[in-house]
Amino acid sequence: MHGLTIGKLAKKAGLTIDTVRFYERRGLINEPARTQSNYRMYPEEDVARLIFIKKAKDLGFSLSEIKELLFIQHDPDASKSDVKERTEAKIRDVRCRIKDLTRILKALEQLSKGCDGHGPASACPILEALSGPEEEHHHHNGGGS
Amino acid sequence: MHGLTIGKLAKKAGLTIDTVRFYERRGLINEPARTQSNYRMYPEEDVARLIFIKKAKDLGFSLSEIKELLFIQHDPDASKSDVKERTEAKIRDVRCRIKDLTRILKALEQLSKGCDGHGPASACPILEALSGPEEEHHHHNGGGS
DNA sequence: ATAAACATTGGACCATAGTCAAAGGTCAAG
DNA sequence: CTTGACCTTTGACTATGGTCCAATGTTTAT
Ligand SMILES: [Zn+2]
Ligand SMILES: [Zn+2]
Ligand SMILES: [Zn+2]
Ligand SMILES: [Zn+2]
């Protein structure tokens, strides 16, 4: 018998069976062949495909973005620039999120610095700042994952 | 007549009616008094409370964390250190997320640098890197929001 | 008086990425 | 042949933060 059952596949890829089936429903992996008894039988290549998904996820790509990357990977007409553009878009997205978080961090640090941490909360400058008048604030660019 | 209907309140706070009711369900604002005709009537203070929520949200606090902050704010026995500790925890959380994103950014930049963007995707080093063998990777500290 | 604007409730639905359970069929070992 | 491990399906549920809808009731303005 050649091929892997879903359990073997999941184990090789370091995922759960549920996750593999979830990716199938989402169209990230092809519906595999079935045995006479209706068990899914996967080709060895699907291990690599799942590892691809995991790695891309670790890089911050969403499942739908990963789906596109997988499609590109298997499209003979796709060009490197298709991949590179998506990578650069993700870089912009991540940079934007880092900027947003950095602004938040600065604001939190300012607030924390203003509070000595002693005495009743009723006189806490952090709470006072949050209770103060409204301000303008930045709005985040769409972006993926 | 004193007090605000939900529409006025939402407008003053810059939220939608649905969001105000959602916050009520989540216990972020008290259930308000009702008129004879069952309309919610809010005290003016609730405007400040909603603005507090918005500001805390902009600082990266989750609704359940904000609920705690609001509770502290109105607890005569609460101390500044309760607030400060939560602020510092959020600072650690945000720093951790920035670090995670920075690692991701570096990895994406490396990948992007390796690809000239010309030619067929079949020879794209980005896709090759994603198809390669598995590596160890960092695991993110729990953390809130 | 009548229409527009506003309020009420309950519940469904969006996206994201799974996770779990129930009820049953299949396969390998002892 | 039975037990346990493995597989099948459907569908519900988790967490987060809302958003929208229908059907109905109320208030306000003209
Ligand atoms: Zn303080
Ligand atoms: Zn941003
Ligand atoms: Zn490339
Ligand atoms: Zn982290």
Side-chain angles (χ1 to χ4, degrees):
Chain A
M1 179 234 284
H2 53 93
L4 301 161
T5 62
I6 195 168
K8 309 283 184 197
L9 176 69
K11 194 155 202 181
K12 282 208 184 195
L15 298 170
T16 69
I17 291 177
D18 284 315
T19 301
V20 174
R21 276 195 287 243
F22 177 69
Y23 289 168
E24 183 183 318
R25 285 199 295 284
R26 289 302 208 78
L28 287 151
I29 55 178
N30 297 324
E31 294 193 29
R34 300 292 184 124
T35 64
Q36 324 78 324
S37 58
N38 203 32
Y39 281 22
R40 289 169 178 83
M41 288 306 285
Y42 295 92
E44 281 286 343
E45 302 95 85
D46 280 350
V47 179
R49 196 172 173 98
L50 288 175
I51 289 170
F52 182 107
I53 294 169
K54 272 182 79 174
K55 289 187 157 209
K57 236 167 52 63
D58 286 344
L59 287 172
F61 289 98
S62 70
L63 294 187
S64 67
E65 288 164 341
I66 294 170
K67 195 174 167 182
E68 290 183 6
L69 289 175
L70 286 164
F71 187 80
I72 288 169
Q73 192 184 28
H74 296 284
D75 177 3
D77 294 347
S79 64
K80 281 189 200 172
S81 66
D82 291 327
V83 181
K84 184 152 177 157
E85 265 165 31
R86 280 165 174 81
T87 306
E88 302 261 304
K90 182 54 59 182
I91 286 172
R92 286 191 295 277
D93 175 25
V94 171
R95 284 204 184 117
C96 181
R97 280 154 60 191
I98 289 172
K99 258 184 215 153
D100 292 343
L101 286 171
T102 302
R103 267 187 315 98
I104 287 171
L105 180 60
K106 298 283 169 260
L108 285 168
E109 284 171 343
Q110 275 303 314
L111 284 178
S112 184
K113 211 164 54 177
C115 175
D116 59 13
H118 296 292
S122 48
C124 173
I126 298 173
L127 295 179
E128 278 164 19
L130 290 170
S131 302
E134 267 197 285
E135 287 144 40
E136 281 314 310
H137 46 70
H138 157 96
H139 275 286
H140 178 100
N141 308 1
S145 147
Chain B
M1 181 232 284
H2 53 93
L4 301 161
T5 62
I6 195 167
K8 309 283 185 196
L9 175 70
K11 194 156 202 180
K12 282 207 183 195
L15 299 170
T16 69
I17 291 177
D18 284 314
T19 301
V20 173
R21 276 196 285 244
F22 176 69
Y23 288 167
E24 181 183 318
R25 285 199 293 285
R26 288 303 206 78
L28 288 151
I29 55 178
N30 296 325
E31 293 192 30
R34 300 292 183 124
T35 65
Q36 324 78 325
S37 58
N38 204 33
Y39 280 22
R40 289 170 178 84
M41 288 305 287
Y42 296 92
E44 281 286 342
E45 302 94 83
D46 280 351
V47 178
R49 196 172 173 99
L50 287 174
I51 289 171
F52 181 106
I53 294 169
K54 271 182 80 175
K55 290 188 155 207
K57 236 166 54 62
D58 286 344
L59 287 173
F61 289 98
S62 71
L63 294 189
S64 67
E65 288 165 340
I66 293 169
K67 195 173 166 182
E68 290 183 5
L69 289 175
L70 285 164
F71 186 79
I72 288 169
Q73 192 184 28
H74 295 286
D75 177 3
D77 293 345
S79 63
K80 282 190 200 173
S81 65
D82 292 326
V83 181
K84 185 152 177 158
E85 265 165 31
R86 279 164 174 82
T87 305
E88 302 261 303
K90 182 54 59 182
I91 287 172
R92 287 191 294 276
D93 175 24
V94 171
R95 284 203 184 119
C96 181
R97 279 153 61 191
I98 290 173
K99 256 183 217 155
D100 292 343
L101 286 170
T102 302
R103 266 188 315 98
I104 287 172
L105 180 60
K106 297 283 169 263
L108 286 168
E109 284 170 343
Q110 274 304 314
L111 285 178
S112 183
K113 211 165 54 177
C115 175
D116 60 14
H118 296 295
S122 49
C124 173
I126 298 174
L127 294 179
E128 279 165 18
L130 290 170
S131 303
E134 268 197 286
E135 288 145 39
E136 280 315 310
H137 46 72
H138 156 97
H139 276 288
H140 177 100
N141 309 0
S145 148

